[in-house]
């Protein structure tokens, strides 16, 4: 059953339940990868690309925000191999971002946070099917 619009919160919940975690990681991924669309090329970008413009500090900040998604995966009980892959995605993105100015270009193509979100969604869909979303609306099993 879908959650009625008047019951949906405009921001992710702070609970430790799977639905709250899903909302938080989806919100973080959107912030980091799809905050707005660049006019002319219709390509979404987020804070990850913007932070890459700031040498050194921006790359570290983007990696810390990406690591938050991995931390949430740990709280969900995902396997060590899945978390290692997710950490590898964040590390690879960080390494690419260390190249001044040019490092922002690979962020258009290698979206580590989107990849990590997909892994978390697969885990949640398998182990917590009541948290699945259909066409952007959350579903809940009673």
């Amino acid at each position: 059953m879908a959650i009625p619009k008047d019951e949906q919160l405009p921001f992710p919940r702070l609970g430790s339940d799977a639905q709250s975690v899903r909302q938080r990681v989806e919100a973080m991924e959107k912030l980091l990868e799809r905050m707005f669309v660049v006019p002319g090329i219709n390509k979404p970008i987020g804070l990850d690309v913007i932070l890459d413009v700031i040498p050194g500090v921006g790359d570290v900040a983007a990696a810390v925000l990406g690591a938050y998604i991995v931390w949430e995966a740990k709280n969900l009980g995902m396997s060590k191999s899945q978390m290692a892959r997710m950490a590898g995605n964040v590390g690879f993105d960080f390494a690419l971002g260390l190249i001044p100015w040019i490092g922002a270009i690979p962020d258009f193509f290698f979206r580590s946070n989107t990849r990590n979100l997909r892994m978390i969604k697969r885990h949640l869909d398998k182990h917590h099917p009541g948290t699945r979303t259909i066409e952007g609306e959350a579903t809940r099993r009673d």
Side-chain angles (χ1 to χ4, degrees):
M1 166 168 56
I3 298 172
K5 289 282 185 196
D6 59 342
E7 289 183 31
Q8 291 180 356
L9 299 173
F11 51 87
R13 292 181 278 182
L14 298 176
S16 60
D17 60 294
Q19 182 66 39
S20 297
V21 172
R22 180 186 283 262
Q23 288 177 346
R24 285 195 302 272
V25 294
E26 286 175 346
M28 181 62 78
E29 185 272 341
K30 184 174 182 178
L31 175 72
L32 291 171
E33 304 290 5
R34 301 176 290 119
M35 197 162 55
F36 60 90
V37 176
V38 177
I41 62 171
N42 286 339
K43 186 75 173 168
I45 67 168
L47 203 54
D48 194 13
V49 172
I50 295 167
L51 288 171
D52 274 343
V53 177
I54 305 167
V57 176
D59 301 316
V60 172
V64 168
L65 292 171
Y68 169 77
I69 294 174
V70 179
W71 179 75
E72 286 284 16
K74 177 187 177 291
N75 291 338
L76 286 172
M78 292 181 69
S79 72
K80 289 182 181 182
S81 64
Q82 289 174 311
M83 289 180 30
R85 186 170 165 207
M86 292 174 69
N89 287 339
V90 173
F92 183 69
D93 190 24
F94 173 71
L96 290 175
L98 289 176
I99 305 167
W101 296 96
I102 305 297
I105 295 170
D107 273 332
F108 279 112
F109 305 105
F110 184 80
R111 297 179 179 265
S112 63
N113 301 300
T114 301
R115 290 169 187 252
N116 290 346
L117 175 63
R118 265 188 259 135
M119 291 176 67
I120 290 173
K121 282 183 171 183
R122 279 194 300 267
H123 174 82
L124 286 171
D125 290 349
K126 182 177 179 183
H127 298 285
H128 304 277
T131 66
R132 285 189 181 138
T133 54
I134 301 171
E135 298 179 27
E137 292 199 22
T139 59
R140 182 187 312 164
R141 291 190 186 222
D142 294 319

